[in-house]
Amino acid sequence: MDSNLDIMIQAPQTRETPAANPYLASFERFEQNRLAAPAWVFPIRKAGMARFAELGFPTPHDEDWRFTNVAPIVKLPFKPVSEYSRDGITAQGVQQFTFAGLKAHRLVFINGHFSEELSAILPISNGAKITSLARALNSDSARIEKHLANYASGEDNAFAALNTAFFLDGAFLFLPANTVLEDPVHLLFISTASEPGAASHPRNLFIAEKGSSMTVLETHVSTVENSYVTNAVTELVVGEGAVIEHCKFQDESSQAFHIATIHAQIGRNANFTSHSIVTGARLARDNIRTSLAGEGIDCVLNGLYLTKGDQLADHHMIVEHAKPHCNSHEYFNGILDGRSRGVFHGRILVQPEAQKTDAKQTNKNLLLSDSATIDTKPQLEIYADDVKCTHGATIGQLNEESIFYLRARGIGLDTARRMLIHAFAGEIIDRVKCRAAREELDQLIWQRLEQNPQIAEKH
Amino acid sequence: MLEIKNLHAGVDGKQILKGINLVIQAGEVHAVMGPNGSGKSTLAQVLAGRDGYSISTGEVLYDGKDLLEMDPEERAREGVFLAFQYPVEIPGVNSTYFLKAALNEIRKSKGLPELDAIEFLTLVKEKMKLLDLSEDLLKRPVNEGFSGGEKKRNEIFQMAVLEPKLAILDETDSGLDIDALRIVSGGVNKLKRPDNAQLLITHYQRLLNYIVPDYVHVLYDGRIVRSGSRELALELEEKGYDWLIKEAA
Ligand SMILES: Nc1ncnc2c1ncn2[C@@H]1O[C@H](COP(=O)(O)OP(=O)(O)OP(=O)(O)O)[C@@H](O)[C@H]1O
């Protein structure tokens, strides 16, 4: 493969001189070396590049990034890992990763490259597609062209713009009308890059036509403790009456940077559930945006972040109600230890047409250490008059009343604390509908909590 | 079984119990009544071992042991049970899981083998009938989304499963409609045995039509100002507390 791919990307020096942006040059070199892709892809990449050049990396002056300073990311060289290598990962080795032992259609990506040899698709019904996006760009070009970068274009999101310019591959899932996928699809993203600053830009596109249903599990892991960057974008098109559950488990290296943008475009009477479980990365930012573009939609955004040390876990949601009679519920719980930080920013936008909207939002945080902090910010913008919107946030320690109640029934103090912390995480995990995934997460989160000496101590 | 001697207790610098004396023997049912703010719930909480109360003088002996020295879980394992006035909702903790853990802690401390899932469920089914509770409730997190009446019934259901020696029922009757009151008190009566005792805290004589106490005590301003038979409760209903308060003053 051409060594030109091994390029250095520098952050724009100032926003005022995007023309001098060194990204642009590297982008041109990058694009010339791309594998064959349909002609329509290039303008999209180019627009992404241009938009990124305009926006630049966000700074704490941006309202949406007030609590999350990406300066450490900006300093990184952003080196794409130019070639696919299995890097010692065996089919058996893959199984150690979360969800990888479950019966599922599995697509494995190593440093952003699709690993055909480690992937395996179970038999599927006619017309459904579970494959790599790079391949699908050739086989399903017309279908992809209709959607790619239509939702997460990066218009107001520099990282999504950067992904659009530089993505190599990701998952492409397509369900024709009324297709029910029995087994979940598991997307496994593994980072093995030993060089600091290696970057990958996974790009996923899921299209679920009318009346179809599936569960997508997504795992982000690494085999190295390293300051690499994952900058993922996932676009979902959820057709009328479709039922989609997306469960993302982010367990990157504690040195890594993880930025993920999820944009779901949801049609009438559809049911969309997104779970974001965060345990990894030094800095993690999940932008989750859902557009409720038809009536009768049920949308649940559910999340859990477990942080310690110097970790930062940031969730930034935008739920846009465009049509009447839709429900959206956001539930995010955080358990924070050490000097770690959590950020929850939940924006709910109710358009004038969206009467009878029922939008709920809760963010609850358990601080296990005095130095852990959380910034939680609801933002309700309501332009319709007959709506129900509620939000609530709590920050605190374990509930003394609950501890006493358990103790008064004979349960020891230590066990009572553990039960309550487990329960706090369990509130979120319990919403995972895919049973096998739920059970695995429950056990895993419990193990992580048990490893934490703070739990047993008095708070 | 229980001997409260000159108990003084307060919270946040406020003296609430000002010398309680009370003796409860096995097989007895006692009712404590009294106007709002007289200290009834405080007494219940102090007996169950809630943090935050300071005991300035007095002692409480439970089967001859110093109750106030024990942690709340130790008291529970020794057979003290408080049916809470306001049972807390504990999201994420499954009712069955919680109750099984509690029962097994208590059994362990008695040197009994723990119950396995099947044995436990058999026991639970039997006790649920007693309180006419739906099994669905047990599949839910502890008290979460339970109605006021369901919460109270659930407290007595827990009592039925844990089989305490000394049950303290803190206003278990308030918030119950007449049918629920009948069911709950029926349950409590069935749980009565010669080797256990019940302490009922209530505002209403109506409960005592269903659960007939051996003794009625009137708590006023942190002291028991009058003790008597169940006739005393009827008298209180008729005349209110004022006459007693005047006499006590
Ligand atoms: N944490 C506290 N700080 C200050 N005062 C308290 C505290 N807890 C209770 N009190 C006061 O102590 C008094 C006794 O309260 P308690 O709840 O024991 O009364 P009660 O007899 O159960 O009343 P009710 O019949 O209304 O339930 C009340 O005046 C109450 O306001």
Side-chain angles (χ1 to χ4, degrees):
Chain A
M1 196 144 322
D2 199 308
S3 64
N4 276 348
L5 279 182
D6 202 3
I7 40 168
M8 300 279 284
I9 299 179
Q10 298 299 325
Q13 295 306 309
T14 64
R15 291 183 172 204
E16 287 71 35
T17 56
N21 190 338
Y23 277 82
L24 218 45
S26 40
F27 171 71
E28 274 154 18
R29 262 177 293 151
F30 169 83
E31 179 54 32
Q32 280 158 20
N33 288 285
R34 283 302 73 227
L35 300 163
W40 59 263
V41 179
F42 182 63
I44 289 178
R45 288 192 184 280
K46 209 171 163 186
M49 190 62 240
R51 189 62 189 142
F52 175 72
E54 262 166 53
L55 289 170
F57 281 111
T59 72
H61 299 296
D62 289 294
E63 188 51 30
D64 286 347
W65 293 83
R66 201 146 65 90
F67 303 111
T68 300
N69 188 345
V70 299
I73 303 184
V74 176
K75 287 197 206 101
L76 290 171
F78 271 80
K79 285 186 187 167
V81 176
S82 56
E83 270 174 79
Y84 168 70
S85 153
R86 218 167 69 177
D87 231 345
I89 294 185
T90 60
Q92 221 190 349
V94 161
Q95 294 206 2
Q96 64 171 308
F97 298 117
T98 304
F99 302 145
L102 304 182
K103 182 179 176 232
H105 309 278
R106 187 160 290 107
L107 298 176
V108 179
F109 299 85
I110 299 177
N111 302 317
H113 296 268
F114 178 55
S115 170
E116 183 171 24
E117 51 188 333
L118 295 175
S119 300
I121 307 301
L122 305 166
I124 44 174
S125 63
N126 262 350
K129 305 247 167 157
I130 301 175
T131 184
S132 111
L133 181 69
R135 290 177 182 206
L137 275 174
N138 292 306
S139 62
D140 291 75
S141 171
R143 182 167 286 138
I144 296 175
E145 185 179 3
K146 263 194 260 165
H147 299 291
L148 191 76
N150 239 349
Y151 316 105
S153 60
E155 199 40 45
D156 52 359
N157 176 336
F159 285 99
L162 196 60
N163 176 293
T164 303
F166 285 99
F167 73 86
L168 281 177
D169 211 340
F172 175 69
L173 310 179
F174 171 72
L175 294 187
N178 303 317
T179 309
V180 175
L181 215 52
E182 293 295 336
D183 295 302
V185 180
H186 180 213
L187 314 178
L188 176 59
F189 295 89
I190 309 171
S191 282
T192 64
S194 50
E195 270 180 275
S200 68
H201 303 273
R203 182 84 184 201
N204 304 315
L205 175 63
F206 311 159
I207 303 170
E209 287 192 342
K210 183 174 174 176
S212 62
S213 93
M214 69 172 164
T215 297
V216 182
L217 309 173
E218 185 176 331
T219 309
H220 292 264
V221 287
S222 74
T223 57
V224 287
E225 275 296 300
N226 195 355
S227 58
Y228 62 87
V229 186
T230 302
N231 175 33
V233 171
T234 301
E235 290 173 289
L236 298 101
V237 186
V238 183
E240 180 178 340
V243 179
I244 304 300
E245 174 168 41
H246 178 228
C247 180
K248 174 169 175 271
F249 176 54
Q250 189 270 95
D251 195 26
E252 306 262 28
S253 149
S254 61
Q255 301 298 310
F257 300 93
H258 180 96
I259 312 281
T261 297
I262 294 175
H263 192 137
Q265 184 74 18
I266 311 173
R268 242 180 95 184
N269 295 330
N271 185 313
F272 175 65
T273 309
S274 148
H275 311 281
S276 172
I277 315 292
V278 173
T279 58
R282 175 172 151 203
L283 186 159
R285 162 77 170 228
D286 284 273
N287 299 298
I288 305 174
R289 178 166 189 159
T290 57
S291 304
L292 280 54
E295 297 192 15
I297 293 168
D298 239 310
C299 170
V300 173
L301 306 184
N302 187 45
L304 175 68
Y305 40 100
L306 227 64
T307 58
K308 54 181 198 257
D310 285 314
Q311 286 182 295
L312 166 70
D314 179 350
H315 280 96
H316 191 279
M317 267 70 60
I318 303 176
V319 174
E320 183 187 356
H321 283 261
K323 297 281 175 188
H325 295 287
C326 292
N327 300 332
S328 69
H329 288 181
E330 292 167 69
Y331 308 94
F332 282 78
N333 283 12
I335 302 177
L336 302 105
D337 198 2
R339 290 176 308 276
S340 69
R341 295 199 292 129
V343 180
F344 171 89
H345 185 150
R347 190 169 148 208
I348 298 173
L349 182 61
V350 181
Q351 302 288 16
E353 198 188 324
Q355 300 295 358
K356 306 285 181 194
T357 287
D358 186 351
K360 282 202 193 87
Q361 183 185 83
T362 53
N363 173 228
K364 299 201 265 182
N365 297 281
L366 203 53
L367 303 183
L368 298 183
S369 114
D370 292 338
S371 338
T373 56
I374 170 81
D375 291 289
T376 178
K377 186 180 164 200
Q379 191 183 340
L380 308 182
E381 289 167 48
I382 302 170
Y383 302 106
D385 44 30
D386 187 10
V387 302
K388 222 161 79 188
C389 284
T390 60
H391 68 87
T394 62
I395 298 166
Q397 286 150 8
L398 292 173
N399 184 324
E400 287 298 326
E401 296 276 320
S402 305
I403 292 180
F404 178 62
Y405 189 85
L406 296 171
R407 295 180 79 188
R409 295 293 177 259
I411 293 166
L413 176 60
D414 220 57
T415 314
R417 282 212 178 93
R418 284 164 198 267
M419 262 189 194
L420 293 176
I421 294 177
H422 193 179
F424 188 79
E427 284 176 41
I428 300 299
I429 307 276
D430 281 350
R431 287 197 192 89
V432 176
K433 292 183 274 186
C434 171
R435 181 169 163 194
R438 182 178 66 239
E439 288 175 354
E440 186 168 348
L441 277 177
D442 188 53
Q443 219 170 27
L444 182 134
I445 295 296
W446 192 225
Q447 278 164 7
R448 296 288 171 92
L449 287 169
E450 286 289 294
Q451 283 163 10
N452 187 338
Q454 279 288 339
I455 288 177
E457 284 164 28
K458 172 124 181 75
H459 320 299
Chain B
M1 173 180 294
L2 185 77
E3 203 175 334
I4 304 175
K5 294 186 200 164
N6 192 29
L7 180 64
H8 285 70
V11 66
D12 296 336
K14 182 177 152 84
Q15 200 62 20
I16 301 170
L17 301 183
K18 302 173 181 169
I20 303 269
N21 290 291
L22 182 64
V23 176
I24 299 179
Q25 308 286 1
E28 293 178 349
V29 176
H30 289 243
V32 171
M33 305 184 75
N36 290 131
S38 55
K40 303 183 296 296
S41 289
T42 303
L43 175 63
Q45 301 283 339
V46 166
L47 292 178
R50 177 180 293 253
D51 273 351
Y53 293 97
S54 58
I55 317 285
S56 42
T57 10
E59 63 174 346
V60 179
L61 296 178
Y62 173 71
D63 277 346
K65 281 181 259 182
D66 184 352
L67 186 73
L68 301 178
E69 272 296 296
M70 298 185 210
D71 283 333
E73 57 268 36
E74 281 179 78
R75 302 182 197 201
R77 291 169 194 170
E78 294 285 334
V80 176
F81 178 92
L82 170 65
F84 283 73
Q85 182 177 6
Y86 304 110
V88 283
E89 300 196 7
I90 313 185
V93 176
N94 172 272
S95 293
T96 309
Y97 170 76
F98 149 73
L99 194 54
K100 181 163 171 272
L103 179 63
N104 280 333
E105 288 288 355
I106 292 171
R107 289 179 65 91
K108 253 194 304 192
S109 80
K110 289 183 182 158
L112 296 170
E114 297 188 27
L115 293 190
D116 65 26
I118 298 182
E119 292 166 321
F120 179 72
L121 282 178
T122 314
L123 174 75
V124 157
K125 286 219 167 90
E126 176 197 324
K127 305 288 186 184
M128 295 209 82
K129 278 189 230 142
L130 202 65
L131 274 307
D132 194 24
L133 266 177
S134 122
E135 264 178 64
D136 288 349
L137 287 186
L138 273 189
K139 294 190 184 125
R140 307 215 315 240
V142 178
N143 292 317
E144 195 181 50
F146 288 24
S147 73
E150 284 169 343
K151 282 182 185 162
K152 296 298 181 77
R153 261 194 275 177
N154 188 38
E155 292 293 290
I156 305 306
F157 164 68
Q158 291 176 21
M159 172 180 160
V161 171
L162 301 178
E163 300 191 311
K165 273 205 304 207
L166 173 67
I168 303 160
L169 277 54
D170 191 2
E171 298 197 21
T172 298
D173 54 330
S174 47
L176 290 183
D177 63 35
I178 198 75
D179 290 333
L181 180 64
R182 206 174 286 132
I183 292 165
V184 164
S185 37
V188 172
N189 285 332
K190 283 197 200 108
L191 295 172
K192 192 182 159 186
R193 291 197 318 225
D195 62 345
N196 67 21
Q198 294 167 351
L199 175 62
L200 316 173
I201 290 173
T202 183
H203 277 287
Y204 307 105
Q205 121 74 22
R206 132 186 127 141
L207 174 71
L208 309 180
N209 291 335
Y210 295 93
I211 307 176
V212 180
D214 301 298
Y215 300 96
V216 173
H217 311 277
V218 178
L219 192 64
Y220 172 70
D221 192 22
R223 281 186 207 91
I224 290 181
V225 294
R226 178 72 65 101
S227 295
S229 67
R230 80 157 297 228
E231 312 307 317
L232 176 58
L234 294 168
E235 207 175 338
L236 286 172
E237 182 166 64
E238 203 178 304
K239 302 200 241 167
Y241 290 109
D242 284 354
W243 62 281
L244 262 183
I245 293 166
K246 277 190 204 111
E247 274 182 30

